[in-house]
Amino acid sequence: QVDRYLYQLRLSDDVLLDVMARFQAEMVKGLGRDTNPTATVKMLPSFVRSLPDGSEKGEFLAVDLGGSQFRAHQVKVFDDGRQSSQLDSKCYPTPKEVTRGNGAELFDFIADCLSDFMETKNLKHKKLPLGFTFSFPCKQTKLEEGVLLAWTKHFRVRGVQDTDVVSSLRRALQKHKANVDVLALVNDTVGTMMTCGYDDQRCEVGLIIGTGTNACYMEEMRHISLVEGDEGRMCINTEWGAFGDDGALDDLRTEFDRELDLGSLNPGQQLFEKMISSLYLGELVRLILLKMTKEGLLFNGKVSTALLTKGKIEMKHVSAMEKYKEGLSNTKEILTELNLFPSEEDCVAVQHVCTIVSFRSANLCAAALAAILTRLRENKKLLRMRTTVGIDGGLYKTHPKYAQRLHRVLRRLVPTCEVRFLLSEGGSGRGAAVVTAVARRLAAQRRRLDTALAPFLLPPGTLQEVRDRMRAELEYGLKREAQGKATVRMLPTYVCGMPDGTEKGKFLALDLGGTNFRVLLVKIKSGRRRSVQMYNKIFAIPLEIMQGTGEELFDHIVQCIAEFLEYMGIKGARLPLGFTFSFPCRQASIDKGTLVGWTKGFKATDCEGEDVVDMLREAIRRRNEFDLDIVAVVNDTVGTMMTCGYEDPNCEIGLIAGTGSNVCYMEDMKNIEIVEGNEGKMCINTEWGAFGDNGCIDHIRTKYDREVDEGSLNPGKQRYEKMTSGMYLGEIVRQILIDLTKQGLLFRGHISESLKKRGIFETKFLSQIESDRLALLQVRRILQQLGLDSTCEDSIIVKEVCAAVSRRAARLCGAGLAAVVEKKRENRGVERLQITVGVDGTLYKLHPHFSTVLQETVKELAPQCDVTFMLSEDGSGKGAALITAVAKRLHNVGQK
């Protein structure tokens, strides 16, 4: 009979999966900026951004307002390796006149109780941080601020709704002269999660099932459009009690639910809570028993005063009646106390009613919790997930069967989640202290991180100074007396013209500048159908060749050329050749280049001070298989400028921002003192990577730059390049990560073996980590590939370090380029310059922000120059061929 009567209260797994789907949809709605106003599940950001990591310590106060008892706590958190804490509490009954009075009375009551507690514990002389557990829905804009949205749990205090409760508490504490610093406002659910998170770092969900019911969990910031920023995670207080207030659960609500709601203090509100929480379940049982009695199904149809009295049956009665091990004795005793004088059949039926009501509560709670766990698992992109749910509340703790039922149903609804339930020790009070401790730890970490990264934030004044010093070094390098002394060498390239569109023919090009060597056949057509076709082959240069002898290096190069000529079937043709040699050379003509010094990891002996064209010719002679007409030796920067100049005649600057860093530009001949003649222009290869080798930028070099420099192949050289180029940025990041780990700010203070390896953190990882499309989960995967076991917070810090290093590189590069474009403007004698910069290099092309920051810096530091940036299509290969073609054209013109 009871089963038939209460059929609607029984929920199948299919119905529960449907409730789970409805709740998931409400979660998404609550997280969206546009949809949140109409969402019943408010998904309130708590501004709790981190779980405890075990390093928290200190002495804290906590106050807890949310039930019939107000609690004050003293919490000591120990950093002793065992994550221990000590809790000392005192309860103060909350009078009804306070819960139904005005705001001033409520906060005076809190301040009064706290002052008494501090007096009792002899804490008046200390200024302690305080966490305020306020178990009502609040809209927070920061951790220490919260505007009350609505009262729940029988609280109806006037003049508090829509005001900041922390400000009210501070005013009351000031009045009582309480020496307290309120650092955090915490919901009891969040406090529960943090308390359990202190004991189990897997805990990222908090659940309350008691007088009220609620859940919170750690959500990805990128999904929370109510809060600025998309880095890391934040705890979301779902305020799930209002689920169904829009009618979403009307098909599941019974006539008893509706009657209970109409008789409540807040009709039409907190409908989900009214189906789940212990505050209402006893009343629901009373309404069912009353109707059954009136219909003659119980107690011989005799309706006692107790059954007619609202609130007479409480949750403690329901829990006691469900203690099956004790048979029907509890049920009989309770019903007798209520003057109901039951038969044995009545006791069985009432016990059954209690079971069905509390079972439905556990079922609905499991469905909503399953929705949260599924979201967590999907956020982490896991097929299976292990996690911990921190839990508190009288219904879960004291009901004989509730926990078991909840666990069993949850396992069926989310078989892909392995869930451990951890009972909160010390509950929301200890949790508020832990939140406060975590907030203090994060604030201290933030200060230390800011201190470490501050030298990378170059203010405008410093960048202007870098621009001006670069300009002075450019001018000095052009002077005759500076030869052999200037750090920015300003090497003449003997490239005296730009392409004019008449170039044509077949050319070979060589490209040596990194760990790969390329040989290219380039076909240039002129006229209306002008075009450039290229065929190339890439050959590796082993480390033993890069750092062997010069003869071995050039023999290897010629071996690669021979293979390419064979491959292309042109071994007998004597083609003009352009040699892109991306290392600093002093040139006496376009086909002579004396190596000044190796860079980028090359160390081949007997090369520095030698003409690389002669070394190539000798290697060709030694092989004695083919002959080539070596017309030009070219720097890759010059090749980049020429490639872009073929498309845009306004291109007179070339920039490489990749493994290395360099700039070239067309300088007026009259300014180049070491080259005869004053007419026309010549391309100058600045070799600006060595800017600062004379100490002129030492004041902006950090301790990390010095460590990278000292560990490099060429200590004391190429200092500007070591701050701006792809070859070194990853190593700078590694040095910072080691330092931050030593300070305990990263990786739990543990320096892994992989982090100790020089070169492990490649610059490509910076580009990947800084990608806006990359979630922190993927950042963690990259770090795991490097053997770095990182938390979510670690990933945020690593991303911030990468951003600081790459942004400084782009800003410094921009300051140098601003000096070059300003020099071009003054050379032309114009008030406003329009010029194009040809650019190549992986850092510029692949890093998500480098090019934008570089361009913004140039605009900021050279405001009278309109600079267009043009990406080079294979500058080092095509450019070498074009320079060779231009040199041939100019040579022919000269002969005529």
Side-chain angles (χ1 to χ4, degrees):
Q1 273 184 323
V2 174
D3 273 353
R4 279 203 307 275
Y5 199 79
L6 298 180
Y7 175 75
Q8 211 182 345
L9 285 166
R10 288 187 172 277
L11 305 174
S12 68
D13 281 1
D14 285 343
V15 170
L16 292 176
L17 288 167
D18 185 41
V19 171
M20 178 179 155
R22 293 183 213 182
F23 190 78
Q24 278 179 311
E26 273 301 306
M27 288 171 75
V28 173
K29 200 172 166 185
L31 288 170
R33 191 187 298 276
D34 298 330
T35 49
N36 175 271
T38 57
T40 53
V41 179
K42 281 299 175 198
M43 305 296 283
L44 301 171
S46 68
F47 291 82
V48 170
R49 297 173 184 269
S50 174
L51 293 164
D53 70 355
S55 67
E56 293 78 15
K57 59 183 176 183
E59 191 174 353
F60 305 90
L61 287 171
V63 291
D64 182 357
L65 181 75
S68 56
Q69 300 268 0
F70 170 78
R71 294 181 181 85
H73 312 271
Q74 178 192 11
V75 186
K76 291 178 181 173
V77 181
F78 304 104
D79 179 21
D80 56 4
R82 296 195 303 273
Q83 287 181 241
S84 56
S85 64
Q86 184 183 313
L87 179 72
D88 206 351
S89 308
K90 189 174 179 183
C91 293
Y92 299 84
T94 314
K96 197 167 184 179
E97 58 268 25
V98 168
T99 63
R100 306 283 172 87
N102 64 48
E105 289 164 351
L106 172 68
F107 290 104
D108 277 344
F109 168 74
I110 294 172
D112 215 15
C113 295
L114 183 60
S115 294
D116 174 75
F117 179 73
M118 291 175 76
E119 191 83 58
T120 309
K121 301 295 174 189
N122 194 25
L123 298 171
K124 284 278 191 184
H125 62 288
K126 293 183 178 180
K127 185 172 174 69
L128 293 175
L130 176 126
F132 180 20
T133 301
F134 187 74
S135 308
F136 306 94
C138 281
K139 183 180 180 182
Q140 290 186 252
T141 50
K142 46 181 123 166
L143 186 60
E144 69 281 12
E145 185 183 278
V147 174
L148 176 65
L149 295 176
W151 286 114
T152 56
K153 307 176 198 166
H154 294 330
F155 273 71
R156 289 293 171 275
V157 183
R158 298 183 302 280
V160 181
Q161 203 166 317
D162 300 323
T163 67
D164 175 23
V165 294
V166 176
S167 297
S168 301
L169 177 60
R170 282 188 178 131
R171 281 195 295 274
L173 290 169
Q174 236 169 356
K175 204 160 78 176
H176 283 70
K177 296 186 170 54
N179 193 18
V180 171
D181 186 13
V182 185
L183 283 190
L185 176 71
V186 185
N187 182 280
D188 55 346
T189 324
V190 180
T192 295
M193 181 189 77
M194 293 298 272
T195 300
C196 297
Y198 189 68
D199 299 319
D200 179 347
Q201 290 190 342
R202 282 186 194 272
C203 182
E204 48 194 348
V205 180
L207 178 62
I208 301 274
I209 314 171
T211 316
T213 180
N214 194 14
C216 69
Y217 72 103
M218 294 301 287
E219 177 60 87
E220 302 284 323
M221 278 290 290
R222 69 183 190 276
H223 296 149
I224 311 169
S225 64
L226 302 165
V227 179
E228 291 301 313
D230 57 1
E231 298 300 335
R233 299 193 300 167
M234 183 181 285
C235 180
I236 289 291
N237 165 20
T238 66
E239 284 299 334
W240 76 7
F243 176 42
D245 286 6
D246 58 353
L249 296 176
D250 279 3
D251 56 326
L252 301 179
R253 291 173 70 228
T254 64
E255 59 180 297
F256 307 111
D257 293 309
R258 289 187 176 87
E259 193 177 341
L260 181 148
D261 177 42
L262 286 171
S264 69
L265 282 169
N266 53 351
Q269 295 176 345
Q270 300 295 110
L271 296 183
F272 190 60
E273 180 167 88
K274 286 168 185 170
M275 297 165 85
I276 290 181
S277 81
S278 62
L279 189 63
Y280 300 100
L281 295 191
E283 181 62 8
L284 197 59
V285 167
R286 183 188 73 83
L287 291 171
I288 294 168
L289 298 184
L290 176 61
K291 185 166 183 189
M292 289 177 76
T293 306
K294 281 180 177 177
E295 292 184 10
L297 298 172
L298 287 175
F299 314 124
N300 294 319
K302 290 176 184 172
V303 177
S304 72
T305 311
L307 276 186
L308 292 168
T309 308
K310 187 176 165 186
K312 196 68 179 173
I313 297 180
E314 297 175 37
M315 193 63 220
K316 64 181 180 183
H317 299 133
V318 177
S319 295
M321 287 190 280
E322 283 194 74
K323 288 180 179 170
Y324 301 117
K325 285 180 183 173
E326 293 168 29
L328 298 173
S329 60
N330 277 338
T331 308
K332 191 173 180 87
E333 190 180 319
I334 290 162
L335 294 175
T336 305
E337 279 175 17
L338 295 170
N339 295 318
L340 290 167
F341 310 109
S343 66
E344 193 168 316
E345 289 78 13
D346 289 337
C347 290
V348 171
V350 170
Q351 201 174 60
H352 204 43
V353 169
C354 292
T355 299
I356 288 171
V357 167
S358 59
F359 216 127
R360 184 185 69 157
S361 167
N363 278 342
L364 288 171
C365 190
L369 183 57
I372 289 172
L373 293 169
T374 302
R375 183 168 179 87
L376 264 177
R377 184 180 60 76
E378 287 171 355
N379 280 351
K380 294 181 178 188
K381 295 182 169 56
L382 296 172
L383 292 174
R384 293 191 66 80
M385 178 179 76
R386 281 180 68 194
T387 193
T388 299
V389 174
I391 193 160
D392 204 351
L395 183 55
Y396 183 89
K397 285 178 172 177
T398 60
H399 190 283
K401 295 282 182 181
Y402 198 96
Q404 184 187 42
R405 289 168 185 165
L406 176 69
H407 302 173
R408 202 161 54 225
V409 176
L410 191 70
R411 274 197 297 273
R412 290 205 307 272
L413 296 180
V414 278
T416 52
C417 296
E418 190 182 317
V419 184
R420 177 193 180 208
F421 284 86
L422 182 61
L423 265 178
S424 170
E425 301 265 342
S428 46
R430 182 169 172 241
V434 171
V435 169
T436 310
V438 169
R440 200 160 74 159
R441 165 176 65 81
L442 291 177
Q445 284 180 347
R446 180 78 258 168
R447 286 193 296 274
R448 282 152 66 198
L449 182 62
D450 287 347
T451 301
L453 298 183
F456 290 86
L457 303 172
L458 302 175
T462 304
L463 287 170
Q464 287 162 9
E465 195 184 330
V466 171
R467 175 199 64 194
D468 296 344
R469 289 190 179 186
M470 176 67 86
R471 176 66 189 273
E473 292 292 313
L474 295 172
E475 301 281 5
Y476 180 61
L478 290 170
K479 297 189 182 304
R480 185 171 276 110
E481 80 252 19
Q483 298 314 297
K485 290 187 260 177
T487 50
V488 179
R489 295 192 184 93
M490 305 297 283
L491 304 171
T493 64
Y494 294 86
V495 171
C496 297
M498 298 296 286
D500 67 359
T502 64
E503 293 77 16
K504 60 183 178 180
K506 284 185 187 176
F507 304 88
L508 273 182
L510 311 180
D511 177 12
L512 178 70
T515 51
N516 288 327
F517 169 64
R518 282 194 315 157
V519 187
L520 305 95
L521 175 65
V522 184
K523 295 178 181 177
I524 304 174
K525 288 182 184 173
S526 62
R528 274 192 312 173
R529 292 190 174 180
R530 73 179 194 149
S531 64
V532 178
Q533 285 179 301
M534 292 188 294
Y535 309 89
N536 74 86
K537 205 166 174 27
I538 297 172
F539 303 88
I541 302 211
L543 189 66
E544 60 271 20
I545 298 283
M546 285 169 69
Q547 298 182 9
T549 67
E551 196 169 287
E552 287 168 342
L553 173 63
F554 281 92
D555 282 348
H556 179 76
I557 288 169
V558 171
Q559 163 74 31
C560 297
I561 297 170
E563 282 183 36
F564 179 76
L565 295 175
E566 190 82 56
Y567 172 73
M568 294 299 296
I570 51 170
K571 209 161 189 180
R574 191 175 187 272
L575 296 174
L577 178 140
F579 184 12
T580 299
F581 187 76
S582 308
F583 304 93
C585 283
R586 188 162 280 113
Q587 290 185 250
S589 64
I590 198 164
D591 63 346
K592 289 190 182 300
T594 303
L595 178 63
V596 174
W598 286 116
T599 57
K600 304 177 206 167
F602 275 73
K603 272 284 186 185
T605 58
D606 309 321
C607 294
E608 293 180 7
E610 299 294 325
D611 180 356
V612 294
V613 176
D614 285 347
M615 292 184 83
L616 180 59
R617 284 187 177 126
E618 281 168 26
I620 291 169
R621 268 199 293 275
R622 275 198 300 275
R623 192 170 180 92
N624 197 25
E625 278 184 23
F626 54 85
D627 195 16
L628 296 169
D629 176 16
I630 304 170
V631 173
V633 61
V634 182
N635 183 277
D636 56 345
T637 324
V638 184
T640 294
M641 181 188 75
M642 292 297 271
T643 301
C644 294
Y646 186 68
E647 307 293 333
D648 179 356
N650 211 23
C651 179
E652 291 198 352
I653 300 174
L655 168 67
I656 298 283
T659 311
S661 177
N662 196 15
V663 152
C664 71
Y665 71 102
M666 295 302 286
E667 178 59 89
D668 293 354
M669 284 289 287
K670 64 177 185 287
N671 295 331
I672 310 169
E673 291 186 5
I674 59 162
V675 178
E676 294 300 316
N678 288 329
E679 295 302 315
K681 295 178 184 177
M682 181 184 286
C683 182
I684 291 291
N685 167 18
T686 66
E687 285 299 335
W688 77 0
F691 174 51
D693 288 6
N694 58 1
C696 73
I697 56 169
D698 275 5
H699 62 297
I700 62 166
R701 290 174 76 225
T702 66
K703 62 179 180 179
Y704 310 113
D705 295 310
R706 291 186 177 90
E707 281 161 359
V708 169
D709 180 36
E710 284 160 16
S712 69
L713 287 168
N714 52 351
K717 293 179 179 176
Q718 299 295 107
R719 288 180 179 178
Y720 182 66
E721 181 167 80
K722 285 170 185 169
M723 296 165 84
T724 56
S725 80
M727 187 165 188
Y728 301 97
L729 299 190
E731 185 59 17
I732 297 171
V733 167
R734 187 184 74 90
Q735 292 293 347
I736 299 170
L737 299 186
I738 287 173
D739 185 33
L740 296 180
T741 307
K742 282 177 183 171
Q743 291 184 46
L745 298 178
L746 271 178
F747 311 130
R748 300 176 190 85
H750 173 65
I751 300 174
S752 65
E753 285 306 309
S754 60
L755 197 56
K756 292 174 187 173
K757 290 178 191 164
R758 185 171 295 281
I760 187 80
F761 206 99
E762 296 172 47
T763 298
K764 71 176 180 184
F765 296 131
L766 270 80
S767 295
Q768 290 169 8
I769 286 168
E770 286 188 69
S771 168
D772 294 329
R773 296 191 304 278
L774 201 68
L776 279 179
L777 201 64
Q778 291 158 295
V779 174
R780 286 178 74 179
R781 286 205 187 115
I782 292 168
L783 295 174
Q784 278 163 359
Q785 285 167 20
L786 295 169
L788 302 169
D789 183 22
S790 68
T791 63
C792 175
E793 285 75 29
D794 290 338
S795 302
I796 294 171
I797 292 174
V798 170
K799 195 166 184 177
E800 201 171 328
V801 169
C802 291
V805 170
S806 60
R807 182 173 173 78
R808 183 191 67 161
R811 299 274 280 166
L812 281 174
C813 196
L817 189 56
V820 175
V821 296
E822 267 298 310
K823 184 167 193 338
K824 287 290 295 176
R825 187 180 69 79
E826 288 179 26
N827 281 359
R828 285 198 198 168
V830 292
E831 202 169 306
R832 192 150 202 91
L833 175 73
Q834 290 204 324
I835 196 161
T836 298
V837 176
V839 197
D840 204 352
T842 48
L843 193 56
Y844 186 93
K845 285 179 172 176
L846 301 181
H847 190 282
H849 307 299
F850 188 93
S851 60
T852 308
V853 175
L854 168 68
Q855 290 173 29
E856 284 169 356
T857 308
V858 174
K859 198 171 185 178
E860 182 187 321
L861 297 178
Q864 291 169 273
C865 303
D866 298 322
V867 183
T868 302
F869 289 82
M870 184 178 186
L871 269 178
S872 164
E873 296 289 331
D874 194 14
S876 44
K878 186 175 170 183
L882 284 165
I883 288 168
T884 307
V886 169
K888 277 283 187 192
R889 170 171 61 79
L890 294 176
H891 178 70
N892 293 341
V893 168
Q895 280 188 329
K896 283 177 188 172

